[in-house]
Amino acid sequence: MSTRLLMVDWLGRGGIAQSTEAWALELGARSYDVDVVTRPGRELGDGLVGVHRARPARGRVAAHRAVADAAAYRIRETVPNWVVVQNYVVPVLEQPVFRAAREVGSGVVVVVHDHRLHTWAAGTHRGLRKNLRAADLLVTHSHFVAEHVARATGRNDVVVLPLPVPIGMLWHARVVPPALADQDDGALWCAHFGILNRAYKGTDLVTRLAAETPPRWRFVLLGTGAERSRLRADVVTIGDFVPPGDLVGAVSATDVTLAPYRVASQSAVVVLAHALGSVPLATAVGGIPEQVTDGIDGVLVNPSADMAAWREALDDLGDDDHRKQLAVAGEARAWADHEAFVNGAVEVLR
C-alpha cells in the first residue's frame, strides 16, 4: 500500500508553489500517492501533479478560507498518512486543516519558508505559534529560518532540507527571447526576475547598475514590476506573470543572475540560476550564504556595500573562464542539494 500524502499550498503561485510541485513530483515518483490542494486559477500543477482546486471566492480572506475548507474536506475524505502544509498566510483561518488532520490521525508537517514568522504587513500571526507547536514535524529550507522557528516555538527538532530545484518548471519547452538569442556581439547578460515591485528584491539597485555599467553587460528583467521607463533602451523587460517556459528560457540564456536582496530567508531565484548555469551574484543576507559559496559557485556582496562593489563584482565575472567555472560548480551544487532534499524528505516521512 502506498503512503498517502496531501499537500496544502495556500497561494499556488511563486517560489513556494514551485517548491510544492517539487515535493509532489519527487515523492510521487517514489510511490507516494500525492494530492495537492490550492487556489483556483493558479499555475501550480499545470497538469504535472494532481491538484484539487478550492472553490472560487471573492476577496483574499474568502479565498483563503476556501482553500482551508477544501483541504479539511479532502483530509477527512482521503485520510492521508501525512498532511504537508507549505507556509502560512492567515493562521487563524488555517485551523480547519489542523483539526481535520487530528480527527483522522494524519501526521502534520509544516514547511516554514519565512524567517519572519509573519509580519503585520503580510497578515495576522494569531494562531501561528499554536499551529507550529502542534505539528508533528517542522521543516525549513535554511538553517537561518530554522533558528528563528526554534526561538519562536521552543522546539529544537526543526529539520533543515535544502531548497529543491523547481523541476516542474524545467519540464516546459524553453522560449528564449529574441534579444537574448543573438549573442554574437560578445555581450554578457544579467537576469533579474521575480516579483520585482517588492522592495526587498533590490530592483532599484539593478536599475542603477543597468544605467551605470559598461555596454558589454546587458540586462533582462522579468516579472511584475519590470518597468522599462526607468531603464536604458537596450534593457529587455518582460513584465507581469512570466510563463515557466519563458522564464527558464530567458535565465538559461544569461550569464549572471542578480539577487541583491535586502531581506531573504532563502532564494528560489538562486536555485534556478544555479540549475540553469547562470552565476548568482547576490547579497550575503539571511539564508543566502547557505546557498552560495563566494568565489566557488557564485559571488556574494556585503549588504552594506556600495555600487562600486557591485560593479567590481560584475567586472570580475566578465572573465569568461572564471565565470564558466562558477557556473559549472553552481549547476552541480543545485542538483546535489536537490538530491539531498529528496532523500531528506523521504527520510522524515518514513
Side-chain angles (χ1 to χ4, degrees):
M1 179 183 295
S2 63
T3 301
R4 295 189 63 85
L5 183 71
L6 185 137
M7 304 195 70
V8 185
D9 189 297
W10 301 115
L11 299 179
R13 175 164 288 180
I16 293 176
Q18 292 153 15
S19 177
T20 299
E21 192 169 64
W23 278 79
L25 288 170
E26 291 292 11
L27 291 171
R30 287 157 179 79
S31 300
Y32 284 77
D33 183 1
V34 183
D35 193 13
V36 180
V37 178
T38 192
R39 289 182 63 171
R42 300 301 175 97
E43 76 271 14
L44 176 59
D46 200 21
L48 298 179
V49 297
V51 172
H52 180 80
R53 303 187 189 279
R55 60 176 174 77
R58 289 187 177 183
R60 293 183 179 182
V61 172
H64 194 60
R65 182 181 290 117
V67 177
D69 290 343
Y73 176 82
R74 294 289 292 174
I75 290 168
R76 293 187 177 98
E77 182 181 46
T78 63
V79 191
N81 300 90
W82 288 99
V83 175
V84 179
V85 181
Q86 293 276 359
N87 223 44
Y88 37 79
V89 179
V90 184
V92 72
L93 297 181
E94 296 156 15
Q95 295 294 334
V97 172
F98 294 85
R99 285 197 299 269
R102 285 195 297 270
E103 287 174 15
V104 304
S106 301
V108 175
V109 181
V110 179
V111 185
V112 182
H113 291 258
D114 192 341
H115 72 281
R116 291 167 293 185
L117 298 178
H118 236 307
T119 65
W120 288 111
T124 175
H125 58 264
R126 180 183 174 190
L128 177 58
R129 185 176 286 108
K130 176 183 177 182
N131 291 349
L132 296 181
R133 285 176 172 170
D136 295 281
L137 291 169
L138 295 179
V139 173
T140 69
H141 291 307
S142 70
H143 289 89
F144 177 74
V145 176
E147 291 168 3
H148 282 76
V149 173
R151 285 200 297 270
T153 63
R155 294 182 60 160
N156 60 5
D157 59 346
V158 182
V159 177
V160 180
L161 303 179
L163 194 65
V165 173
I167 55 175
M169 296 186 69
L170 305 186
W171 286 34
H172 294 264
R174 299 185 184 185
V175 180
V176 179
L180 278 70
D182 182 11
Q183 300 191 41
D184 294 338
D185 59 356
L188 296 174
W189 283 92
C190 291
H192 180 56
F193 59 93
I195 303 177
L196 304 185
N197 58 1
R198 293 180 177 172
Y200 74 88
K201 291 282 189 179
T203 303
D204 57 325
L205 185 146
V206 176
T207 60
R208 290 176 61 193
L209 270 178
E212 300 172 13
T213 302
R216 189 189 181 198
W217 283 103
R218 298 181 184 173
F219 296 76
V220 55
L221 277 66
L222 305 103
T224 302
E227 299 178 17
R228 188 177 183 84
S229 61
R230 299 181 183 178
L231 305 170
R232 69 190 196 206
D234 60 351
V235 174
V236 177
T237 58
I238 303 174
D240 299 321
F241 172 69
V242 182
D246 293 41
L247 179 59
V248 169
V251 176
S252 65
T254 64
D255 303 283
V256 170
T257 288
L258 292 167
Y261 290 100
R262 291 185 171 87
V263 178
S265 298
Q266 62 273 315
S267 174
V269 167
V270 167
V271 176
L272 185 62
H274 268 157
L276 296 176
S278 183
V279 177
L281 171 54
T283 317
V285 64
I288 302 298
E290 297 180 44
Q291 297 180 280
V292 177
T293 302
D294 185 38
I296 302 297
D297 50 43
V299 176
L300 294 175
V301 177
N302 191 293
S304 62
D306 58 15
M307 288 296 297
W310 288 90
R311 288 194 296 270
E312 182 180 348
L314 274 184
D315 286 342
D316 291 342
L317 288 169
D319 182 284
D320 290 343
D321 291 338
H322 175 55
R323 186 183 65 256
K324 290 174 182 177
Q325 188 177 34
L326 296 181
V328 169
E331 189 171 1
R333 175 173 188 162
W335 290 109
D337 283 352
H338 186 83
E339 183 177 5
F341 155 75
V342 174
N343 294 335
V346 169
E347 182 62 30
V348 299
L349 297 177
R350 193 179 303 279

